[in-house]
Amino acid sequence: MWLSWASPPKFLEKTRQLWKILGVMGGVFMVLGLYLGLAVAPVDAQQGEVYRVLYVHVPAAWMSMFLYMVACVYAGLNWVYRGSVSAVMMRALLPTGAWMTVLALVTGALWGKPTWGTYWVWDARMTSELLLLFIYLGLMALSQLSLDASKSDRVLAIGLLIGAVNIPLIYGSVVFWNTLHQGYSVSLSGSRLHPDIARALVLCLLGFWLCCASTVLNRARHALLSRRAMQATLQGVST
């Protein structure tokens, strides 16, 4: 079943309405999550109202890393199979991941000012997250090196896989180094969050995930159509 998605015509057919459905579902989950987080969840005893930034900051930070790892999966698939769908998905994930990284950095700075007294410090997690943004931007620039996108696919795939070394540094920075960030509030062993806060956070995370998936699929569709049109033009010129 899933192998059929590797076929450009099947991919275009299956995603024609899917990206819209995901976008609507994502918007609904996000509105519900923000409502619970802003109107229902209790005030934090230590941070007060400012902690509510986490309903945007945490999903954005998680998605910035998750989207990069998904892009790496498609990079690996493209390296092995050289398919058009894996190539456009690999590329389509980059701008969305970059925007999630920007959102994580901005909301983190807004959270940090009242909490730590400053918008920015060269904290291990903040620095590695900033590095992720530079990696995203560098890869996006790398993807535009050639007018024929297929020629730069393999170079982009290598760059993506090399940059993946930064992801465990971001995730594990609170363990590897003494940082201003607190330890994990959510882990495989359970959650230390208030149930209302946890429910709102999960809904916001689902909303972000679905909206990102919608955006990526829509961008991939346009990229695939553009690539097929370019290939048809080049074939017409050569004949």
Side-chain angles (χ1 to χ4, degrees):
M1 175 182 177
W2 292 106
L3 291 178
S4 64
W5 287 69
S7 167
K10 287 291 185 181
F11 178 84
L12 292 171
E13 176 187 348
K14 291 176 180 294
T15 58
R16 184 169 55 248
Q17 297 299 327
L18 179 60
W19 74 272
K20 298 177 184 178
I21 296 172
L22 293 178
V24 172
M25 291 176 59
V28 171
F29 277 116
M30 198 174 297
V31 169
L32 287 175
L34 290 176
Y35 170 75
L36 289 178
L38 300 179
V40 177
V43 178
D44 185 80
Q46 294 181 326
Q47 300 183 54
E49 296 287 355
V50 72
Y51 93 94
R52 300 187 194 276
V53 177
L54 74 84
Y55 298 114
V56 175
H57 174 70
V58 172
W62 285 3
M63 290 308 300
S64 70
M65 294 183 286
F66 177 73
L67 292 174
Y68 193 94
M69 295 310 298
V70 175
C72 286
V73 171
Y74 280 107
L77 291 173
N78 185 259
W79 183 263
V80 176
Y81 299 107
R82 304 189 186 184
S84 297
V85 172
S86 60
V88 297
M89 284 295 294
M90 171 179 66
R91 292 168 177 270
L93 284 153
L94 296 179
T96 306
W99 277 115
M100 288 296 102
T101 309
V102 170
L103 186 58
L105 290 170
V106 171
T107 53
L110 294 175
W111 193 357
K113 178 61 176 178
T115 304
W116 301 330
T118 181
Y119 288 109
W120 181 267
V121 293
W122 292 101
D123 173 88
R125 174 159 286 181
M126 297 171 71
T127 303
S128 54
E129 185 74 9
L130 179 62
L131 178 59
L132 178 61
L133 176 60
F134 292 151
I135 292 173
Y136 269 124
L137 296 177
L139 291 171
M140 289 166 63
L142 184 63
S143 68
Q144 302 298 319
L145 286 180
S146 174
L147 292 177
D148 184 358
S150 61
K151 292 183 179 179
S152 57
D153 286 342
R154 291 176 71 78
V155 176
L156 180 60
I158 294 174
L160 263 165
L161 295 173
I162 292 175
V165 69
N166 187 50
I167 301 301
L169 294 180
I170 298 173
Y171 185 76
S173 58
V174 295
V175 176
F176 301 149
W177 296 283
N178 182 22
T179 74
L180 291 176
H181 281 80
Q182 67 183 43
Y184 303 126
S185 296
V186 179
S187 65
L188 294 177
S189 59
S191 171
R192 293 184 290 145
L193 298 175
H194 186 281
D196 288 338
I197 296 176
R199 278 191 288 268
L201 184 58
V202 168
L203 287 172
C204 287
L205 181 60
L206 287 172
F208 268 74
W209 187 91
L210 290 167
C211 287
C212 286
S214 172
T215 303
V216 170
L217 288 178
N218 187 36
R219 184 177 285 115
R221 283 175 52 80
H222 286 288
L224 186 57
L225 290 170
S226 177
R227 182 174 291 216
R228 296 180 76 188
M230 178 66 71
Q231 291 173 346
T233 301
L234 292 176
Q235 290 175 357
V237 172
S238 63
T239 55

